[in-house]
Amino acid sequence: MTRIRLHDLDFDLFIPEAEVNAAVDRLAGELRTKYNGKRPLFVGVLNGAFFFAAELMKRLDIECEITFVKVASYLGTSTTGRVTDLIGLNERIEGRHVVVLEDIVDTGNTVKHILDALADHHPASVSIATLLFKPDAYKQTIPIEHVAVRIPNAFVVGSGLDHDGLGRNLPGIYRIIEQQP
Ligand code: IMP
């Protein structure tokens, strides 16, 4: 078992690179069938989705576009409540088929905010494609349509995911080793 240390935490290899690649292959096939001829706009959510986005794009031989956004969330006025800005989104969204690319969906709060912000731009459709999904942690009702790998509710790094800045560059997925009592 390959063990690594990032800052103060230890991780074990959980999903080898070959398995991640096979899951992305499968997902690319799913998206090809659904979006061929629709010229989808993929919107990768930085920082974590850069890795998944690149792996997915290599495998998608259909006409499509990709862009990246950063999510900024802050408290607005009492009437607007919490506001989510998609920084870097310069493309025209209206009438487009949009696929949001996430590294991981955990509670789902982030994708909920992103979908609310995208809805203001009147896309033809929006779906979510994620490298990892933690169904046991998910608290939203929006369907997560395109999932490469479902994982248990544990902290993981690698393939774009980090622990305090480290681990994004690791191929495969590493799972935290829980402290022994
Ligand atoms: P959410 O709970 O679905 O809103 O996820 C929020 C963000 O937390 C994700 O986009 C990730 O950046 C981060 N995150 C959630 N789970 C993990 C994990 O297991 N490892 C690393 N980052 C995570």
Side-chain angles (χ1 to χ4, degrees), residues 60-83:
L60 260 183
D61 51 357
I62 61 170
E63 193 180 41
C64 62
E65 291 175 43
I66 179 147
T67 189
F68 289 91
V69 294
K70 276 219 171 202
V71 177
S73 182
Y74 54 90
L75 273 181
T77 64
S78 56
T79 47
T80 54
R82 185 155 279 279
V83 180

Side-chain angles (χ1 to χ4, degrees), residues 122-143:
H122 309 293
S125 70
V126 186
S127 71
I128 299 151
T130 185
L131 178 64
L132 302 177
F133 179 41
K134 295 181 185 172
D136 296 340
Y138 193 59
K139 301 219 167 357
Q140 299 293 337
T141 51
I142 313 152

Side-chain angles (χ1 to χ4, degrees), residues 52-63:
F52 172 49
E55 291 297 327
L56 187 66
M57 286 301 117
K58 284 195 283 190
R59 293 165 169 83
L60 260 183
D61 51 357
I62 61 170
E63 193 180 41

